[in-house]
Amino acid sequence: MKKLFLFANLIVAMSLIGTAVNAQTLSAKKIEKEAKKQAKVLVKEGWITAPGKQSIEMQQLKSLQMQNTYDENFSPKFYMGSGQSVGPNYDAAKFQATELAKIDIAGMISSDIAGIVETNIANQQMDPGQAAAITKSVGAYKTFVAAKLTNIISAVDMYKTDSKTGNATAQIIVFYNKDEAIKAGIQAVRDELMKESQELGKELDKLLQSK
């Protein structure tokens, strides 16, 4: 009887594994289908990629795959930032669009760090003035946080040219590992805060000592 029970459990477990694999396969197929659909629209609108870059379809596929990547807590594993800019040529437009995408991510990082700080402030005794100064500083250092983002993963890099003006419009989408981004963001905020006040910098260290 015991062996029969164990065998039945094994059959159920194998069935569940098979269901999970099928779900992942379907998900992958849906992502691939959506990437093709988006690529067709973009190509029709006149978007192209620079020589040596992946096709628009492959770029859309990579972007969607990364958007649907989760960590062990089922939270998105990456921050996604996007930027679009117009310039006299592709290189100029791409540079500005990339900077905008980085600032986009930096804003998300700053918001998350501010949430961590506010939660820890609530759990610790701290002078209200210092707490307000630290919280304000975290939100004000987006450009410094963006400068610390060195391991950016590029997913979408495409552009189109205006036939009348000759100007190029670049569309950039980048990703950054959330764990690495939070560490880089904390370091950027800490460095800038220490320049303003050693005391506030030390207080920030106390608030974020577990990070």
Side-chain angles (χ1 to χ4, degrees):
M1 186 68 180
K2 186 176 180 181
K3 288 183 178 180
L4 183 62
F5 178 74
L6 290 173
F7 180 72
N9 280 347
L10 180 61
I11 294 296
V12 171
M14 291 177 68
S15 175
L16 289 173
I17 291 172
T19 301
V21 170
N22 287 334
Q24 288 180 349
T25 303
L26 285 174
S27 178
K29 287 182 178 179
K30 286 182 179 179
I31 289 174
E32 187 175 344
K33 184 177 180 180
E34 183 61 26
K36 289 181 179 180
K37 181 180 176 182
Q38 291 182 10
K40 285 182 180 179
V41 173
L42 292 166
V43 170
K44 191 174 181 180
E45 291 177 350
W47 293 96
I48 60 175
T49 61
K53 299 290 184 181
Q54 287 185 317
S55 68
I56 287 180
E57 183 179 323
M58 291 303 296
Q59 290 186 11
Q60 294 302 308
L61 178 60
K62 182 177 181 179
S63 177
L64 289 171
Q65 286 174 335
M66 296 195 74
Q67 289 177 55
N68 287 277
T69 300
Y70 300 89
D71 61 21
E72 62 275 7
N73 298 315
F74 301 103
S75 296
K77 189 173 181 178
F78 300 96
Y79 285 114
M80 182 183 81
S82 62
Q84 183 169 304
S85 182
V86 178
N89 53 55
Y90 161 67
D91 288 333
K94 176 187 175 181
F95 176 81
Q96 186 59 34
T98 302
E99 291 305 303
L100 291 173
K102 289 169 66 176
I103 291 175
D104 192 16
I105 291 179
M108 299 176 207
I109 297 170
S110 296
S111 294
D112 285 349
I113 294 175
I116 296 169
V117 168
E118 288 170 4
T119 298
N120 289 346
I121 284 174
N123 295 330
Q124 297 183 26
Q125 291 185 343
M126 179 176 284
D127 176 82
Q130 288 185 328
I134 289 175
T135 302
K136 182 180 179 181
S137 295
V138 169
Y141 292 145
K142 284 198 295 185
T143 54
F144 296 104
V145 171
K148 290 284 185 178
L149 302 180
T150 57
N151 296 324
I152 284 179
I153 303 169
S154 176
V156 174
D157 180 352
M158 59 186 183
Y159 72 102
K160 57 182 177 179
T161 304
D162 189 312
S163 59
K164 294 181 179 179
T165 65
N167 288 335
T169 300
Q171 174 69 47
I172 299 293
I173 297 179
V174 298
F175 292 84
Y176 208 101
N177 180 282
K178 277 195 169 185
D179 289 340
E180 291 182 14
I182 289 293
K183 290 177 182 177
I186 287 174
Q187 187 61 53
V189 172
R190 178 183 286 136
D191 290 347
E192 292 306 311
L193 197 56
M194 288 290 278
K195 292 177 184 178
E196 291 186 16
S197 168
Q198 292 284 327
E199 186 177 355
L200 288 179
K202 291 177 181 178
E203 288 298 328
L204 178 65
D205 280 336
K206 290 179 184 178
L207 290 171
L208 300 173
Q209 59 186 348
S210 61
K211 293 295 173 180

